[in-house]
Amino acid sequence: MTNRRQFTHALTAGLSTLALPGAAVRAQATAPIKLLVGFAPGGSVDLTARALADAMRAQLGRPVVVENRPGAAGRLAPEAVRQAKPDGETLMLVPHGPMTLFPWIHQQLRYDPFQDFAPIGRLCIVDYAISAGPASGATTLADYLTWARKPTAKPSCATPGAGTVPHFIAEGFAQKAGLNLTHVHYKGSAPGMVDLIGGAVSLSSSPLADAVEHHRSGKIRILATTGQQRAESVNGVPTLREAGVDLVMDGWYGVYAPAGINPQTQRELSRAMAQPSAALTELFARSGLRSAPSSPEALIEIQRAEHRQWEAWVKASGFKPEA
């Protein structure tokens, strides 16, 4: 009788625990959930990850810590998550490029974006910016194009690396605007911004979050953003399409776990990351990010559609995949 009562009590307690929000995640070991980021501390992805970690910590009632794995243009974090146990204790916040673009530009990518990961959800939409520095003296896109088409002009564009999303945005912009634009690739947006401010290059293609503070200080001028709609963080700045260049490209940050995660844990993590916090909302407004949480199913559909889109972009650009 004692054993039966003990079994019944344990079964009832277990069912009650599973009925609680976040119970599957809380029921695991109290070790921190690791949120991997494939970039160095201080950048827009890292800062977003830290605000997200705080928000998820409040929802789940357990530690969530950010772990930076910078290098290889963001590929090291997916490589690490691919090898992690699918126990809900390892996640990553990743921009769209490593999950949609990279299969078309790296012949030996050491992860499969569709087979090696379980989507948790999209967090936000990312706009990109086309910015001018003092070299051209331009305050509008029309001003820049007039300057760049002069016989004496040598238009050049800073990007955070060959084969990155801003690189292909700059290439598409040049093709549609009819410019012979020299690409200058840097290891990230920050050094390119330094040269843009200093006049070594005349244009920059970068995530909006990496340009917005320099724009507000007057050191550079954001001429246009690349999304479907205007970015609220830079009032008065048109989209590229509004400015006369028919190019639209926005991106996103998504959260993923290793493939094979328990579906209930996957769903509860998705609900936890979708709950806004004051700090995350403030960061989005300041950085030019737009809150756009999604379900796991919606994220994988977004990923598939963009993956097909990038195939056409890369082929049109003439870019040769890296070995």
Side-chain angles (χ1 to χ4, degrees):
M1 181 66 70
T2 301
N3 288 341
R4 180 177 296 176
R5 282 200 301 268
Q6 289 174 340
F7 173 78
T8 303
H9 176 75
L11 178 61
T12 303
L15 291 173
S16 299
T17 301
L18 290 176
L20 294 173
V25 178
R26 290 193 184 98
Q28 297 177 31
T30 57
I33 294 174
K34 294 187 294 184
L35 182 61
L36 271 62
V37 175
F39 303 90
S44 58
V45 183
D46 172 73
L47 294 175
T48 303
R50 293 179 188 281
L52 175 62
D54 288 341
M56 292 184 69
R57 186 180 303 120
Q59 291 295 317
L60 298 172
R62 61 180 295 189
V64 182
V65 297
V66 174
E67 185 174 303
N68 298 90
R69 296 288 183 95
R75 300 195 300 275
L76 298 187
E79 289 176 7
V81 172
R82 180 184 68 83
Q83 300 177 59
K85 293 180 180 179
D87 54 10
E89 294 187 0
T90 303
L91 306 173
M92 68 174 172
L93 178 71
V94 62
H96 60 132
M99 307 303 287
T100 60
L101 168 62
F102 284 9
W104 303 113
I105 65 172
H106 298 287
Q107 291 182 342
Q108 298 184 24
L109 197 63
R110 289 189 285 185
Y111 61 87
D112 186 313
F114 295 96
Q115 299 298 322
D116 292 338
F117 308 103
I120 302 300
R122 181 181 64 183
L123 178 66
C124 60
I125 292 174
V126 180
D127 284 321
Y128 294 89
I130 299 294
S131 309
S136 67
T139 58
T140 67
L141 189 64
D143 289 342
Y144 183 83
L145 293 177
T146 297
W147 172 84
R149 288 166 178 156
K150 293 179 180 179
T152 56
K154 296 181 179 179
S156 55
C157 184
T159 74
T164 60
V165 172
H167 168 210
F168 287 106
I169 289 174
E171 181 65 28
F173 165 75
Q175 289 180 5
K176 290 181 178 294
L179 288 182
N180 184 14
L181 192 63
T182 299
H183 296 276
V184 184
H185 301 303
Y186 295 83
K187 293 182 178 180
S189 294
M193 284 293 165
V194 171
D195 276 3
L196 181 67
I197 293 167
V201 292
S202 62
L203 201 69
S204 169
S205 174
S206 72
L208 174 59
D210 294 331
V212 66
E213 292 300 332
H214 298 301
H215 172 82
R216 289 171 181 159
S217 70
K219 294 178 181 178
I220 66 170
R221 178 77 175 185
I222 296 177
L223 304 179
T225 55
T226 64
Q228 296 277 357
Q229 62 191 55
R230 290 192 178 194
E232 294 181 1
S233 58
V234 282
N235 289 332
V237 175
T239 65
L240 268 178
R241 179 170 282 173
E242 288 176 322
V245 177
D246 189 17
L247 186 151
V248 175
M249 170 55 70
D250 53 22
W252 41 267
Y253 295 164
V255 176
Y256 292 81
I261 189 172
N262 179 282
Q264 183 180 353
T265 302
Q266 179 184 21
R267 183 64 58 184
E268 290 172 356
L269 287 168
S270 182
R271 285 198 293 265
M273 64 155 285
Q275 300 300 316
S277 67
L280 200 54
T281 300
E282 180 185 352
L283 177 67
F284 287 162
R286 186 174 69 248
S287 303
L289 305 173
R290 285 179 276 145
S291 179
S294 81
S295 67
E297 295 81 6
L299 175 55
I300 200 65
E301 289 304 315
I302 292 166
Q303 182 182 335
R304 287 194 183 104
E306 190 174 309
H307 179 257
R308 292 191 294 268
Q309 182 183 13
W310 275 119
E311 179 183 18
W313 270 59
V314 173
K315 289 181 178 178
S317 73
F319 185 87
K320 301 300 182 184
E322 298 178 4

